Amino acid sequence: MRLPEKYIERMKILLGEEEYQEYLKSFEQKNVRGLRVNTLKITPEEFEKITPFSLKKIPWTDNGYYYEDDVQPAKHPYYYAGLYYIQEPSAMTPAQLLPVEPGDCVLDVCAAPGGKSTELAAKLKGQGVLVSNDISNSRAKALLKNIELMGVKNAYVVSEVPEKLVSRFAGYFDKILIDAPCSGEGMFRKEPSMVKSWEEHGVEFFEKLQKGIIDSGVKLLKPGGKILYSTCTFSPEEDEGSMKYLLSQNEDFSIERPEKVWHEFAPGHPEWVDGPEELEKCIRLWPHKLQGEGHFISLLSKDGAEGQKSNFLGRKKLVMPEEAVAFFSHVTMELPLENCVQVKDKLFYLPDAEVDMKGFRVLRSGLYLGDIKKNRFEPSQSLAMALKMEEYDQVVNFACDDIKVRKYLKGETLEFDDMNATGLYLICVDGFPLGWAKANKGKLKNKYHSGWRMF
């Protein structure tokens, strides 16, 4: 790989000649691949018992695994059931180290495509609220799919600039993740195309962009709250430099060392930016020191007593439309009517916490339940993904090696043994929902989301 001469010279200065040579050797090693188990649906221990893949635990995560090059987890039915998210191992670290607790109000500022948001949602365990934001509307659509695929019920998917969020949510969030856009130096080995982007934009472009996001992030955090800032670059200006800027502008913030830090993680370097000593508490992941790409992580705390949890709504109970009442008589998932709203012909289940999104570009509010049609209710794909198999009373459960599973995921109609069966069935694989099908005269008419099909 051709690395820019300017980049090479700077890395030699930062690392020293001997360690720089070690860093160069990392480019000769193969890229490692990882998947993260979705604990909203299955525990890591349970997944280890059923996985068809040869896996090795990633040491700095609770639920991350390496898999071999010849494995294709994105083509397995378990992927379509939302049992795991495919993610670069080092990229699992930021959401792992942000101490999210059930009931928190959490913001992921630069969330697409959703790897970190879906882990934050899993840590919330369906309680509290997650606002997953990305400025790019097209990228936010990919984020939405992953939020739905993982069975998340308590998220708002938003596409706004961070400054606009401040106008509504100043001091609102308990925890904030800022996985900032950056020059991507830590990904040069995995994605050589990042080199061209680095040459076009340079470090200065991203340094300025990050400061704007940081300025908004600190305003959005409650007293006593925490921000985790991360990048996938080695650039001191974007890493320790950005943290030096944050601390200089906000005397009520300090850097703390996360509770779980793996021994191969390296400390920050305050001397690289002439910054305060506490920058040593930052974390650097180097590809020549561990099996993963480059990352920078800083956990920050805001002074003050931990604020009370955000207000919980006193909504009026929805009068469920008759078309939906019949369908939900088959469902045992807890869906309090005061959390359900009807918007035109669509039903949604909203998180408990008060989140006023009027005037914002919102791709999804809470869990989209389905559509009210003439004389019937049509449940959504996202509802299927949020259900457990035992929470619906008409189920067809296939083994993962049954050819009918792949036929279903490709959108095909299936033969059904019960000629008298009628109505909507929840199609599952090894006990985990995939989507809906309508039974009629020995056939299962496919209702799987057309945009999610296996090809």
Side-chain angles (χ1 to χ4, degrees):
M1 174 190 292
R2 184 192 67 82
L3 293 172
E5 191 62 34
K6 182 180 177 182
Y7 173 74
I8 291 173
E9 291 305 315
R10 192 181 61 169
M11 290 297 285
K12 285 181 179 178
I13 294 171
L14 294 178
L15 295 175
E17 184 63 37
E18 184 177 345
E19 188 173 356
Y20 175 72
Q21 293 303 322
E22 293 178 20
Y23 167 66
L24 273 188
K25 287 180 182 177
S26 71
F27 284 86
E28 300 171 7
Q29 301 168 2
K30 67 177 183 179
N31 296 326
V32 292
R33 305 175 188 277
L35 63 82
R36 176 180 47 75
V37 172
N38 177 18
T39 56
L40 278 178
K41 291 178 177 280
I42 189 170
T43 68
E45 294 75 19
E46 291 168 337
F47 184 73
E48 288 175 11
K49 292 177 182 178
I50 68 170
T51 179
F53 315 129
S54 176
L55 300 176
K56 179 184 175 184
K57 198 82 170 61
I58 296 171
W60 55 83
T61 69
D62 295 331
N63 54 337
Y65 297 85
Y66 297 108
Y67 64 88
E68 296 299 324
D69 290 348
D70 58 350
V71 173
Q72 294 182 307
K75 294 186 177 181
H76 195 278
Y78 289 165
Y79 173 80
Y80 290 83
L83 299 195
Y84 51 82
Y85 186 97
I86 298 170
Q87 191 172 26
E88 194 280 314
S90 292
M92 299 179 190
T93 316
Q96 173 77 26
L97 295 183
L98 182 61
V100 169
E101 300 174 355
D104 280 344
C105 293
V106 181
L107 170 66
D108 189 353
V109 179
C110 310
K116 297 172 179 68
S117 268
T118 50
E119 173 64 3
L120 297 175
K123 293 173 82 168
L124 284 172
K125 298 180 180 179
Q127 302 171 45
V129 64
L130 170 67
V131 176
S132 292
N133 177 73
D134 200 275
I135 189 173
S136 165
N137 192 256
S138 60
R139 284 171 53 82
K141 290 176 182 177
L143 166 65
L144 172 60
K145 178 187 174 181
N146 284 317
I147 289 284
E148 293 185 329
L149 180 64
M150 296 292 120
V152 178
K153 295 185 283 189
N154 58 327
Y156 289 83
V157 179
V158 185
S159 182
E160 288 293 353
V161 295
E163 294 87 348
K164 187 170 181 179
L165 294 176
V166 175
S167 68
R168 186 76 53 82
F169 299 109
Y172 180 85
F173 294 98
D174 300 292
K175 311 287 166 56
I176 296 176
L177 179 64
I178 301 176
D179 186 42
C182 67
S183 58
E185 295 172 356
M187 304 300 287
F188 282 179
R189 182 178 67 165
K190 181 175 182 286
E191 299 179 29
S193 61
M194 295 293 292
V195 174
K196 184 178 180 180
S197 176
W198 186 91
E199 291 176 316
E200 289 178 354
H201 295 292
V203 167
E204 296 79 10
F205 171 82
F206 292 101
E207 181 186 0
K208 182 179 179 181
L209 189 62
Q210 290 155 4
K211 287 178 179 177
I213 296 172
I214 287 169
D215 287 339
S216 296
V218 298
K219 295 173 184 175
L220 291 160
L221 191 68
K222 287 180 182 175
K226 297 182 188 297
I227 288 179
L228 192 136
Y229 174 88
S230 66
T231 73
C232 58
T233 190
F234 304 130
S235 160
E237 297 88 343
E238 301 173 68
D239 294 341
E240 289 92 347
S242 288
M243 294 299 91
K244 176 184 176 182
Y245 169 78
L246 187 155
L247 295 173
S248 71
Q249 300 296 308
N250 302 275
E251 294 182 355
D252 53 345
F253 275 78
S254 59
I255 297 176
E256 65 177 67
R257 194 159 178 82
E259 288 186 11
K260 295 181 179 180
V261 177
W262 194 49
H263 64 90
E264 295 294 344
F265 291 174
H269 287 267
E271 73 277 9
W272 287 353
V273 295
D274 191 24
E277 187 176 330
E278 66 178 306
L279 291 174
E280 288 184 350
K281 296 177 183 177
C282 300
I283 295 170
R284 282 182 170 271
L285 282 65
W286 295 97
H288 59 284
K289 293 181 178 291
L290 47 75
Q291 287 187 294
E293 305 306 321
H295 245 73
F296 174 87
I297 295 166
S298 180
L299 181 62
L300 302 115
S301 297
K302 186 175 183 178
D303 292 346
E306 186 173 340
Q308 293 185 349
K309 298 301 179 187
S310 294
N311 293 332
F312 287 80
L313 295 180
R315 298 187 184 100
K316 292 182 179 179
K317 289 187 177 181
L318 174 72
V319 177
M320 189 69 77
E322 290 183 9
E323 296 88 343
V325 170
F327 170 81
F328 282 105
S329 67
H330 298 275
V331 177
T332 59
M333 175 194 281
E334 188 175 350
L335 293 169
L337 289 177
E338 58 266 27
N339 288 66
C340 296
V341 297
Q342 180 176 346
V343 181
K344 296 182 179 179
D345 60 349
K346 298 183 183 298
L347 287 183
F348 296 88
Y349 173 79
L350 301 182
D352 290 326
E354 176 74 78
V355 181
D356 179 10
M357 288 293 178
K358 187 176 181 180
F360 285 72
R361 291 191 296 176
V362 180
L363 281 72
R364 180 70 76 244
S365 297
L367 175 63
Y368 168 41
L369 297 174
D371 297 330
I372 301 161
K373 304 284 187 179
K374 187 176 181 180
N375 300 322
R376 75 180 197 280
F377 178 77
E378 191 167 294
S380 68
Q381 178 69 41
S382 54
L383 175 59
M385 302 311 296
L387 285 168
K388 293 180 172 63
M389 184 176 74
E390 59 271 20
E391 292 177 331
Y392 190 74
D393 66 1
Q394 296 194 141
V395 171
V396 178
N397 185 32
F398 295 115
C400 71
D401 57 357
D402 192 322
I403 188 63
K404 289 183 179 178
V405 174
R406 294 184 181 273
K407 286 185 175 181
Y408 174 77
L409 292 172
K410 291 179 179 180
E412 298 178 20
T413 297
L414 304 179
E415 301 291 330
F416 194 28
D417 294 338
D418 189 346
M419 294 293 294
N420 297 316
T422 59
L424 284 168
Y425 278 73
L426 184 64
I427 307 300
C428 300
V429 57
D430 289 340
F432 298 97
L434 292 170
W436 303 103
K438 188 173 183 179
N440 186 34
K441 298 180 180 179
K443 302 281 186 183
L444 286 170
K445 184 179 178 182
N446 203 305
K447 296 287 185 179
Y448 189 64
H449 192 301
S450 60
W452 292 18
R453 288 177 184 170
M454 176 186 285
F455 293 100

